[in-house]
Amino acid sequence: MRDQFHEDLDTITDQLVEMTRLAGSAISRATTALLDADVHLAESVIEADRHLDEIRVQLDETAVDLLARQQPVATDLRTIVTAMQMSTDLERMGDLARHVAKVARLRVPDSAVPAELRSHILRMGQVAGRIVASCGSVIAGNDVNGAARLEKDDDAMDELHRELFQVLLDERSALTRLQVLDLTLVGRYYERFADHAVSVARRVIYLVTGEYAPSVDHEEDEDAADLDSLTQA
């Protein structure tokens, strides 16, 4: 019975790693669709998000079943509960990649990114891809040191996000109001993608050490506030 239990735990870990792979593929392809105004690629990202959602549902069902049948305690209980929390973060990362793809699709046949900001958005996409790849390695190996290093990549994303906002707020900018709106949302999507990866990394640290400093996430409220302020500007 315990052997099956630990096999099920290993399956949950494999599902989490697979979710990082899918999220990484999604953000990479969404970035390309955004820069190249590729509607077919954007559609494929949007459609593929369903698979990531399905894995999250399967993982949660397995976890709930284990909680009911095995009544785990101590470390095993922490592993199951933390895995469910990580799956939520990873699903949200897929959703954010889908949002980027939707912006790309909305502006076809034009690109939502003006020529002067293409390299900047490309760097944001590259950092996002690097972060989620690291996230998968951290989960697979319960790598506390890797989890700590991952936050440095998040710092790089935060800096890129700040630099983007400086451009968007520059009164001398030739960007249209629509471009400012699109790039504000896209910038937030990349930043939040990285934030969720950091959240996963912190949960791995908690899983291994029992120490975890939770961060409060008000992304839905902040996204709504950003959109409201821009539409009223």
Side-chain angles (χ1 to χ4, degrees):
M1 181 69 74
R2 297 302 295 178
D3 287 344
Q4 182 61 50
F5 175 67
H6 287 290
E7 286 181 13
D8 289 338
L9 289 181
D10 289 341
T11 297
I12 287 176
T13 298
D14 291 343
Q15 288 174 317
L16 289 171
V17 173
E18 175 66 4
M19 290 180 78
T20 67
R21 187 192 69 78
L22 291 173
S25 174
I27 198 65
S28 175
R29 291 183 294 121
T31 300
T32 300
L34 185 69
L35 295 174
D36 296 348
D38 188 330
V39 66
H40 299 296
L41 189 57
E43 291 283 5
S44 74
V45 174
I46 295 166
E47 179 64 25
D49 185 56
R50 294 181 182 178
H51 183 41
L52 198 152
D53 293 342
E54 289 169 356
I55 294 177
R56 187 266 174 100
V57 170
Q58 292 169 4
L59 186 154
D60 285 356
E61 288 177 347
T62 299
V64 169
D65 182 63
L66 288 177
L67 289 172
R69 288 190 297 105
Q70 301 290 341
Q71 298 181 346
V73 296
T75 301
D76 289 340
L77 177 60
R78 190 164 70 198
T79 297
I80 295 171
V81 173
T82 301
M84 294 175 72
Q85 293 170 329
M86 287 193 285
S87 74
T88 298
D89 281 309
L90 292 167
E91 181 193 28
R92 179 59 179 163
M93 290 167 73
D95 291 342
L96 289 163
R98 187 184 75 233
H99 293 340
V100 172
K102 285 185 174 180
V103 173
R105 183 180 65 179
L106 186 63
R107 301 303 170 212
V108 169
D110 299 319
S111 171
V113 182
E116 61 269 29
L117 287 172
R118 285 180 61 85
S119 63
H120 193 91
I121 296 300
L122 177 61
R123 288 199 300 275
M124 294 186 84
Q126 290 171 337
V127 171
R130 185 165 67 244
I131 285 175
V132 71
S134 297
C135 193
S137 298
V138 165
I139 293 171
N142 280 336
D143 185 355
V144 172
N145 292 329
R149 289 193 300 269
L150 192 148
E151 296 212 29
K152 293 183 179 179
D153 280 332
D154 182 55
D155 290 340
M157 180 67 84
D158 289 340
E159 180 59 28
L160 287 168
H161 189 231
R162 283 191 293 270
E163 291 173 0
L164 178 62
F165 256 76
Q166 288 175 359
V167 173
L168 299 180
L169 294 174
D170 188 345
E171 294 181 354
R172 297 167 296 176
S173 173
L175 296 174
T176 67
R177 186 167 175 267
L178 186 58
Q179 287 173 325
V180 170
L181 174 60
D182 285 344
L183 291 168
T184 297
L185 293 176
V186 165
R188 172 59 62 82
Y189 297 151
Y190 283 114
E191 183 210 19
R192 285 298 178 182
F193 186 95
D195 286 347
H196 280 285
V198 169
S199 179
V200 170
R202 288 175 177 170
R203 296 188 198 282
V204 170
I205 293 174
Y206 166 72
L207 181 61
V208 175
T209 68
E211 299 177 2
Y212 176 63
S215 58
V216 178
D217 191 350
H218 299 300
E219 64 181 333
E220 297 291 350
D221 293 339
E222 290 172 0
D223 287 347
D226 282 346
L227 181 58
D228 186 58
S229 62
L230 285 167
T231 56
Q232 293 182 15

